[in-house]
Amino acid sequence: NSKLRHVEKDVLIPQIMRDRAKELCSDKVQAFTKCCQETGLLMVVKCRQENTALKDCLVGYYSDPSFYEECKAEYLKQREEYRATGIKKKRQKLTPNV
């Protein structure tokens, strides 16, 4: 049964989308984080370019219907496995933490 509840559509699938988008935009996440660490209180001004690049990358994924469908399929697969086994699996990261 692939019918989605409100919480699945509005919370659980968007969470997968956020996690995957952060992984796919990891170079921009790292650049923004590095800039913030290096500039301290001036990060709002000094890291504007990195922040914009990060936002553009994330929003590009969030607004992509095919990306939503990929994440929905991933969620439904996880839900099916959980219903069959009763064991909740942790999502594997696409890229290792460095």
Side-chain angles (χ1 to χ4, degrees):
N1 182 5
S2 63
K3 186 148 174 57
L4 294 171
R5 298 183 335 255
H6 166 74
V7 71
E8 292 172 316
K9 279 191 279 196
D10 296 343
V11 178
L12 300 175
I13 293 171
Q15 182 60 55
I16 290 174
M17 291 177 73
R18 280 191 298 276
D19 291 347
R20 287 199 59 211
K22 278 187 206 164
E23 291 169 11
L24 295 167
C25 298
S26 65
D27 57 334
K28 289 161 186 65
V29 170
Q30 288 173 357
F32 179 66
T33 302
K34 183 176 182 222
C35 181
C36 290
Q37 289 170 341
E38 290 173 354
T39 57
L41 294 174
L42 295 174
M43 69 182 167
V44 174
V45 176
K46 298 246 181 189
C47 302
R48 193 174 293 145
Q49 187 175 344
E50 290 83 352
N51 188 30
T52 300
L54 174 56
K55 275 200 266 188
D56 289 348
C57 184
L58 294 173
V59 169
Y61 283 109
Y62 298 157
S63 58
D64 180 354
S66 64
F67 184 68
Y68 175 83
E69 290 302 322
E70 278 178 44
C71 294
K72 177 179 157 186
E74 181 179 332
Y75 171 77
L76 290 171
K77 183 174 176 225
Q78 290 173 2
R79 185 177 77 173
E80 186 179 321
E81 288 173 8
Y82 174 73
R83 287 179 176 175
T85 64
I87 299 168
K88 186 171 174 118
K89 288 191 177 176
K90 288 271 190 199
R91 245 183 50 71
Q92 291 184 345
K93 299 237 180 248
L94 295 176
T95 54
N97 286 343
V98 178

